[in-house]
Amino acid sequence: MVTPTGALFSFCESRNDFCTTMATVDRSTRPCCDSSFLHRRNIMSFRSFFMFMLLLFTIDRCFSEDDHEMEEFLKREYSLSKPYQGVGSSGSSHWELMGDAMVTTDYIRLTPDMQSRQGAVWSRIPCNLKDWEMQVHFKIHGQGKKNLNGDGLAIWFTKERMQKGPVFGNMDNFTGLGVFVDTYPNEEKYIEAQKKRYTPRTQRIFPFVLAMVGNGSISYDHERDGRPTELGGCNAMVRNLKHDSFLFIRYIRRRLTVMIDIDGQHEWRDCLDIPGVRLPQGYYFGATAVTGDLSDNHDIISLKLYQLTVIRSRKEEEDEEEEEITVPSVDNLDLLRLGQNEEGMSGIAIFFTVLFSLLGCIFLLVIGLVVYSHWNENRRKRFY
């Protein structure tokens, strides 16, 4: 039975089912929707749905494995946030101030924008967590213009605490982890004094974030801004920002990850990711800052520590129990520094390298011409 243009209704007598199908504009009729066709279509739909759900399950498992099936728990005894109750004045507080640090209602100022100041805030309780994550809300600001400010702040996880020193307000030859927000390019001034110049491959843009692991005998090199001992780093324009700035430090399964959020977009940006970092438990968290001839306000707004609960295999647990970490170290540290400590050539070295290369090419060309002419002359003589 044919209907007007645009639709066709056919009555399937075998099953007394009403089947509606769309016809083409040319009024052509289509076959009836029989039961076998509908059955096959249902099977195909079920298979497609099953494959889709299997794909979703697989993707979910992959993301779970990448994320180590991890859960986070805020540990308030290792965290520091407003209203900073008792910090600096009460012995019952979990945090202790040192040096020029002071507490306000909105932040803890490690150093004011004044010369030759240093301050710190240290946890009183050693941290025995195996896997953790520290989120640092901070602010660096001052009256100094670019490269006329200094010197920076540091976040620590170390065996020692409450020790004044030259490394961003903490002691040198420390034992543990230091993550530095360096705002003054000491190495640039040092190289200029040595009549050298940077190449684009080695030049840094300051402020610069870097990490270092010390074992109690490694010194931080101020003149080279810590290059010989750094694990890695990234530039971070953190001074005089109108929005919040954050630093993210994660230690999980002996892997150290540092990220920053300084663009006001609430998105983490990778800074460094190093496997094989071995940090003992029972160390202290702290934050320090220092100024010299140049200065800045270095403010800590919050330090939030999260315990990471990670599902490990039985083999991983046995391996970690057998190998107790007592001294901080980094696996394959020489390989990590392979491309970091190579110094770029100065302009004079590049000039002489190019010059000698050209002279060598010219010399080889002359030798080739002499040999060719001699061979050509001998070849002609054979015809006489």
Side-chain angles (χ1 to χ4, degrees), residues 94-113:
H94 293 157
W95 294 84
E96 186 175 0
L97 298 182
M98 184 181 69
D100 297 303
M102 59 178 293
V103 180
T104 72
T105 56
D106 296 321
Y107 50 79
I108 294 179
R109 176 153 293 172
L110 301 178
T111 68
D113 190 2

Side-chain angles (χ1 to χ4, degrees), residues 23-305:
T24 57
V25 178
D26 60 355
R27 300 183 182 180
S28 61
T29 61
R30 294 186 179 180
C32 177
C33 301
D34 58 14
S35 59
S36 61
F37 174 77
L38 292 176
H39 181 66
R40 288 195 301 270
R41 184 175 179 181
N42 289 337
I43 293 177
M44 292 178 62
S45 299
F46 177 76
R47 288 178 178 175
S48 300
F49 177 77
F50 177 77
M51 293 299 296
F52 178 72
M53 294 302 296
L54 181 62
L55 179 62
L56 287 180
F57 178 76
T58 303
I59 294 175
D60 180 70
R61 292 294 299 172
C62 290
F63 278 109
S64 297
E65 291 176 1
D66 291 342
D67 208 18
H68 308 295
E69 299 182 4
M70 184 173 57
E71 295 181 356
E72 298 180 352
F73 302 94
L74 178 65
K75 304 295 289 185
R76 297 188 181 277
E77 62 270 32
Y78 303 117
S79 300
L80 177 66
S81 58
K82 299 177 185 179
Y84 316 118
Q85 293 181 353
V87 176
S89 60
S90 173
S92 62
S93 172
H94 293 157
W95 294 84
E96 186 175 0
L97 298 182
M98 184 181 69
D100 297 303
M102 59 178 293
V103 180
T104 72
T105 56
D106 296 321
Y107 50 79
I108 294 179
R109 176 153 293 172
L110 301 178
T111 68
D113 190 2
M114 301 174 67
Q115 295 178 341
S116 303
R117 302 299 177 94
Q118 59 179 306
V121 57
W122 283 96
S123 173
R124 297 177 185 267
I125 307 173
C127 179
N128 292 294
L129 302 180
K130 183 179 296 185
D131 303 297
W132 49 265
E133 174 183 296
M134 173 70 79
Q135 295 184 16
V136 184
H137 186 186
F138 69 99
K139 188 175 184 64
I140 300 177
H141 57 105
Q143 299 298 320
K145 296 182 179 180
K146 184 178 180 181
N147 292 339
L148 292 176
N149 56 275
D151 287 330
L153 63 81
I155 305 299
W156 302 95
F157 179 65
T158 55
K159 180 180 180 180
E160 308 86 8
R161 63 181 294 273
M162 302 294 289
Q163 300 290 327
K164 287 187 177 182
V167 186
F168 299 93
N170 191 27
M171 62 178 291
D172 201 359
N173 299 315
F174 59 88
T175 307
L177 170 68
V179 179
F180 312 135
V181 183
D182 193 349
T183 59
Y184 184 74
N186 293 289
E187 185 181 20
E188 182 178 334
K189 307 303 178 184
Y190 170 75
I191 289 184
E192 287 180 358
Q194 300 297 320
K195 306 300 180 183
K196 299 178 182 179
R197 289 294 182 267
Y198 279 104
T199 64
R201 182 174 61 84
T202 60
Q203 187 176 9
R204 286 177 174 174
I205 300 175
F206 279 75
F208 194 83
V209 176
L210 66 151
M212 170 184 171
V213 170
N215 59 11
S217 62
I218 302 175
S219 180
Y220 176 81
D221 191 341
H222 281 278
E223 291 184 341
R224 299 184 60 191
D225 295 318
R227 277 187 192 249
T229 55
E230 73 172 25
L231 301 180
C234 63
N235 65 292
M237 309 305 291
V238 296
R239 290 194 68 249
N240 293 332
L241 298 179
K242 294 182 180 180
H243 49 264
D244 294 332
S245 51
F246 297 89
L247 181 66
F248 172 99
I249 307 169
R250 172 183 285 174
Y251 180 68
I252 179 173
R253 285 183 168 177
R254 298 176 181 174
R255 188 180 196 97
L256 176 67
T257 303
V258 177
M259 294 187 286
I260 56 175
D261 176 11
I262 60 173
D263 300 320
Q265 302 297 322
H266 302 289
E267 295 180 355
W268 293 112
R269 175 162 64 90
D270 293 337
C271 187
L272 63 92
D273 186 16
I274 306 296
V277 178
R278 302 172 183 271
L279 299 176
Q281 301 177 32
Y283 283 8
Y284 297 90
F285 287 104
T288 65
V290 66
T291 65
D293 294 335
L294 302 173
S295 61
D296 255 337
N297 295 304
H298 298 94
D299 300 337
I300 294 293
I301 301 172
S302 69
L303 299 171
K304 294 183 179 180
L305 185 77

